[in-house]
Amino acid sequence: MISSPTDSTDIHKQAKVTSRPLSAIAIIVIGLAALVLGMMLSVSYGAKDIDLATVWTAVFRFNPDLTEHQVIQALRLPRVTAGAMVGASLAVAGAMMQGMTRNPLADSGLLGLNAGAGFALAICFAFFPGTPFTALMLYSFLGAALGAIIVFGIGSISLGGLSPMRLTMAGAAVTALLMSFSQGIALHFRVGQNLAFWYAGGVAGTRWDQVELMFPWVAAGLIGAMLLSRGITLLSFGDQVAVGLGLRVVPIKIASFVVVLLLAGVSVAVAGAIGFIGLLIPHITRALVGVDYRWVIPCSAVLGALLVVAADFAARTINMSFETPVGALIALLGVPFFLYLVRRERREMQ
């Protein structure tokens, strides 16, 4: 059944009422300022503390003869830059998936994308050792696509069609299956050490050449997400409503799916299986700015980047003699929030 003009007007009014642009602008401005400060502190503190004045000169007046400048430029700056891009990418990918599927539990880690990318990387490590980073990114994209296709395929053929709960259950099953395959390959071909970093998740050891390869893909994905933001807002009210408002649902979903694969694939290739960012950040963002994805997407990008930069800083400073996995720190927030969402969804279904 197609929505009537009255229904369409009501939807526009609802989106306008629940949108808070002033809050969104404040989050973007304050969040960007906090992100810059957090990145500077992350570069400054570590196994060897470096004062902010030295950080400033290392960035804008680099002297290759100074050891501190070399540490900042070669190790800490690419790491913190990659962390910000990974956080923004995973948060935006999660927001798009939740809006597109109307599934509050949607996240690249929960719907098979991360596990599919990890399976592809395990195959690369086992059968194509020495694969360059550019090729690893491509295989990561293909693996993420494989995982998502299997999840959506299983969810769609279930009795009663695709529903948020079936999609989540299919994602959990496929994720477990693909991770088992990955671990089996790692044990048989003795590439477990190569996969250990991927399972832990983090941006330690990221180099400038990886950041340079990552940047255009992330930029393209974020720009694409903004261009699709109006369509995702309409999809979040349901396909029938979106069709009634004149949206071409299938092309928008395909384009959104490609953008999600782009953002999730490149992030997993660089930082490994960092979960729950795409689950946690979009919910917080919508609570602050409303349901208009023209604001949800940029605010999610800023908050996601801030979360990963903060988590990476904590991972390096909680225990200086041992670096805590970033994925484990974020999971401390993500797992309780996931359980809360599951319990809320179950109450709503009763």
Side-chain angles (χ1 to χ4, degrees):
M1 184 173 115
I2 305 297
S3 302
S4 67
T6 303
D7 295 332
S8 301
T9 303
D10 290 343
I11 291 298
H12 281 300
K13 288 181 178 179
Q14 182 180 350
K16 186 174 181 180
V17 168
T18 55
S19 176
R20 294 183 285 276
L22 292 179
S23 297
I25 293 171
I27 288 172
I28 292 173
V29 173
I30 297 173
L32 286 175
L35 179 61
V36 171
L37 178 61
M39 292 175 72
M40 292 180 65
L41 291 175
S42 184
V43 171
S44 178
Y45 291 97
K48 175 178 173 56
D49 293 343
I50 303 172
D51 61 85
L52 293 177
T54 303
V55 173
W56 180 268
T57 55
V59 173
F60 295 102
R61 294 194 301 274
F62 175 63
N63 185 349
D65 296 328
L66 297 177
T67 302
E68 290 180 336
H69 284 207
Q70 292 177 359
V71 170
I72 291 170
Q73 284 284 354
L75 300 176
R76 295 188 181 179
L77 270 179
R79 174 176 181 159
V80 74
T81 303
M85 288 195 290
V86 166
S89 298
L90 292 177
V92 170
M96 294 181 70
M97 292 174 70
Q98 290 175 16
M100 185 172 53
T101 64
R102 302 188 70 200
N103 183 357
L105 302 178
D107 168 68
S108 61
L110 297 175
L111 296 186
L113 276 76
N114 289 3
F119 177 63
L121 293 178
I123 292 176
C124 287
F125 294 145
F127 297 102
F128 309 103
T131 302
F133 181 72
T134 306
L136 286 179
M137 287 176 58
L138 175 61
Y139 289 127
S140 181
F141 294 149
L142 295 176
L146 173 66
I149 289 171
I150 295 175
V151 169
F152 279 88
I154 293 175
S156 298
I157 63 176
S158 301
L159 186 63
L162 190 64
S163 69
M165 188 56 65
R166 290 189 183 93
L167 194 62
T168 303
M169 293 175 65
V174 171
T175 295
L177 177 65
L178 292 178
M179 289 189 68
S180 297
F181 285 157
S182 300
Q183 291 171 352
I185 291 172
L187 290 173
H188 183 75
F189 292 95
R190 299 182 180 178
V191 293
Q193 188 173 359
N194 294 333
L195 282 179
F197 169 78
W198 183 87
Y199 283 123
V203 288
T206 305
R207 304 183 307 272
W208 276 123
D209 58 341
Q210 294 174 320
V211 173
E212 290 171 358
L213 284 172
M214 181 185 183
F215 177 76
W217 297 102
V218 172
L222 295 179
I223 292 171
M226 285 302 303
L227 293 176
L228 294 166
S229 59
R230 178 184 176 276
I232 296 173
T233 300
L234 299 181
L235 286 174
S236 68
F237 290 106
D239 287 2
Q240 292 183 347
V241 172
V243 171
L245 294 173
L247 184 70
R248 298 174 63 189
V249 170
V250 174
I252 293 296
K253 283 191 172 183
I254 292 175
S256 300
F257 185 67
V258 170
V259 170
V260 168
L261 287 179
L262 192 66
L263 294 172
V266 70
S267 299
V268 171
V270 172
I274 301 179
F276 298 107
I277 298 172
L279 176 72
L280 182 65
I281 294 298
H283 281 279
I284 295 174
T285 304
R286 284 193 297 269
L288 295 172
V289 306
V291 298
D292 189 342
Y293 276 78
R294 290 174 295 183
W295 295 113
V296 170
I297 286 175
C299 290
S300 293
V302 172
L303 294 179
L306 187 59
L307 174 62
V308 174
V309 168
D312 183 58
F313 176 70
R316 291 190 292 110
T317 56
I318 287 176
N319 184 359
M320 290 292 188
S321 60
F322 175 78
E323 186 163 319
T324 307
V326 173
L329 291 180
I330 295 178
L332 291 177
L333 299 174
V335 170
F337 189 76
F338 173 73
L339 296 175
Y340 159 74
L341 288 177
V342 170
R343 184 174 182 181
R344 188 185 70 179
E345 288 297 303
R346 187 172 64 178
R347 284 202 306 265
E348 290 178 357
M349 292 175 62
Q350 292 176 348

